[in-house]
Each structure stands twice: as C-alpha cells, then as structure tokens.
Amino acid sequence: MASSPPRLFTFLLLDRFTMLPFAAAIDALRLANKMSGRTIYHWRLLGAGGDVAVCSNGARLALDAGLGADMPIGRDGVVIVCGGDAITTQATAPVLSWLRRQARGGATLGALCTGSHVLAKAGLLDGRRATIHWENQDAFAEIFSDVTLQRQVFVDDGNRLTAGGGTSSIDLMLHLIGQTQDADLVSQIADQMLHTAIRTGRDHQRLSVATRIGIRHPRLAAVVTRIEANLETPLSPAQLAQDAGMSTRQLERLFMRYLNRSPKRFYIEARLTRARHLLLHTELAVIEIAVACGFSSSSHFSKCYRERYGVSPYRERGVQKSGARAEWGVLALAS
C-alpha cells in the first residue's frame, strides 16, 4: 500500500457550485493523507473558464487550470463534477465534450449535488444507477429516463459515482477510501470530521416522513408516504382510507388533527410542490408538468398553482429566467 502512487482527484467546479459537499469531499482526502502520515491522494481544481470559480454563496476559489489545459487524468484518476444552482445552464458543449473525453480515457466519473445532471446530460449515466439531491430528483427522473434514479445518500456504480450533496460527500469519500485503506483510517477520518454516523449506499437522503412532518402516528405516516409515491396518478381519499384500513371520515379526522388540512388539500399541495420543482429545474412544457403531477389540463394546473403561489406557472418560469439573466448573464430555462 505504501508504495502505491497517490490517486488523483480532479474536481470540476461548475459556476455556482455548492460549497458544502465540495469542501467536505476534499477535506476527507486531506485528512486521509494527514491521519495516514503519507500522501495517498492528490487533488486539483478545474473550471470551465477563467482562473476563478464562484460558488453559490459568493466565495471565490482559485483554479489550477481550465478545461483546455493539457492535464491528463489517467485511468486511475477520478473526476468529480461539483454542481449547484442553475445546473441546466452549466451543461455547456465544452463541459460535456470534456467529460465524454475523460470517460473514453477510462477515468472514473463522479458528481456531487446537482453535478449528476451534467453527467446524465453527457449520456454518461445511461443504463447506470445514480442519485442527485432530493430537491432535484423529480426533475431528474422526468428528463433522464435512461438513468436508474436511486434516492440514497450516494451511489457507487463502478466507475460512476454520485452523491446527493450536503454531507453525503463525506460518506462517499469514506466509502472510496475504505476500498483501498483499512477501516481504522476511515474511522479516524470520520472522528476528525465529527461525522459520528457513517452512512452507506443503502441509506436514504431524507428524514422519515414522520420526522419531516412532525407526527408520530404510524398509520398517518403510511398514508403520507403513499401520497408522495402517487403524485402522477392521485388516489382518492376513499382509496387511501381503504388501503390504510380505516374509514374516509377517520382519515379526514387524522389529517385535520395532525396536519390541519384535509387529505385532499394535503395531496394537492404535495403535487404542486413537485410541479414547482419541475417548473424551476427542467425545460419541460407546462402541460407536461401538469400531467406529471396528476392534473388533467394546463388550465386546471395554472388555477391551482396561482392559488398556491400567487403567480401563474408561466409567470413563475418567466420571472426565474429574467432573474438568472440579470444576475449571471446566461440563458436560463427555455419554456
């Protein structure tokens, strides 16, 4: 092990990348070197253009090089795409071409947070298992049907690695380090990072339904879980109640007592939440989004959306596009 050459990690920092998953990933590598007393890993920072990458919180990081630099990755190298806000504008032709070239060269390709969108756009996740931040999962599933979306913290599919963002990159890096190093080193790194519960590729990103909505009623939590799994083809309150082994009236009382809304109101809010994610994170037409969220027509969808958010879906998308152009000077989502 001591004679093995250091493994090279190349972090591709897209514009407006999120700081937390990137910083957590690179610090896990730093600690691996420190705690082992030897250089196990090297890393470098690349960007699509310029000498500086700007993350979503406004911080600026100096880059080692741009995509045009002659910096070979090698078959043992790992490329990690770090995504963040406005990810659909970051999948530019130069970025996609560069990633495909690294794949042909045999490098392992990975992504943190929304970076999975760019790998999928390049066709590098077709027929593969992958994950992305939970907020982007519905949009990702609609756009990239050839990718098997999984909702775990991270996914290791051989030479394709994806992590959902946030602290999930710690778990991914500990997983990779543990493939070639002993378990004691992995534990030391986790202790240094105060990461007291190392998660595996089987752990889910989000808290349980009961924790998220603040209830401890198991039958109600089961109904909410069923609602979230059936947004495209909504189930009636009567069907939900029957499946839960109670009357419709009992179900309505549970929702009003614990959630202060009817099952029907809760259901439509869940569908509109998903619709908003699709609206802001995909290029799907409004009618396609309406159908994907269980609305029979774009007019009905628009009416419900306006009642919920105070703006029509068309206006919502237009405002987002105008804001993106003004702040970043890039093309935003096409309607």
Side-chain angles (χ1 to χ4, degrees), residues 18-160:
T18 47
M19 177 65 80
L20 178 57
F22 160 71
I26 204 169
D27 220 41
L29 300 179
R30 177 188 69 84
L31 287 169
N33 290 347
K34 177 182 178 180
M35 305 308 294
S36 67
R38 54 195 174 90
T39 303
I40 308 173
Y41 305 106
H42 285 314
W43 53 85
R44 60 190 178 189
L45 311 183
L46 268 60
D51 301 321
V52 174
V54 181
C55 75
S56 57
N57 64 16
R60 301 167 66 86
L61 273 69
L63 298 171
D64 294 306
L67 297 185
D70 185 17
M71 300 179 71
I73 303 298
R75 298 188 66 85
D76 191 49
V78 182
V79 174
I80 303 291
V81 181
C82 300
D85 294 341
I87 192 61
T88 56
T89 69
Q90 306 306 314
T92 62
V95 167
L96 300 181
S97 176
W98 185 85
L99 288 171
R100 291 170 183 141
R101 189 159 61 250
Q102 306 317 313
R104 289 194 297 270
T108 294
L109 299 180
L112 306 180
C113 195
T114 60
S116 302
H117 179 102
V118 177
L119 286 185
K121 186 74 172 180
L124 300 174
L125 294 179
D126 288 354
R128 301 291 195 118
R129 296 177 298 112
T131 192
I132 195 170
H133 190 279
W134 64 264
E135 189 175 38
N136 303 90
Q137 287 176 354
D138 289 335
F140 188 92
E142 289 290 336
I143 299 171
F144 304 112
S145 58
D146 291 333
V147 183
T148 302
L149 175 65
Q150 299 193 318
R151 301 177 188 271
Q152 279 73 19
V153 171
F154 69 85
V155 173
D156 178 351
D157 192 356
N159 59 357
R160 297 293 185 270

Side-chain angles (χ1 to χ4, degrees), residues 275 279 282-293 295 297-299 301-302 305 312-315 317 334-335:
L279 192 69
T282 76
E283 299 180 8
L284 293 172
V286 170
I287 184 59
E288 293 178 296
I289 293 172
V291 172
C293 297
F295 293 93
S297 68
S298 59
S299 60
F301 169 53
S302 295
Y305 195 94
S312 73
Y314 299 94
R315 178 62 179 164
R317 178 169 278 178
S335 56

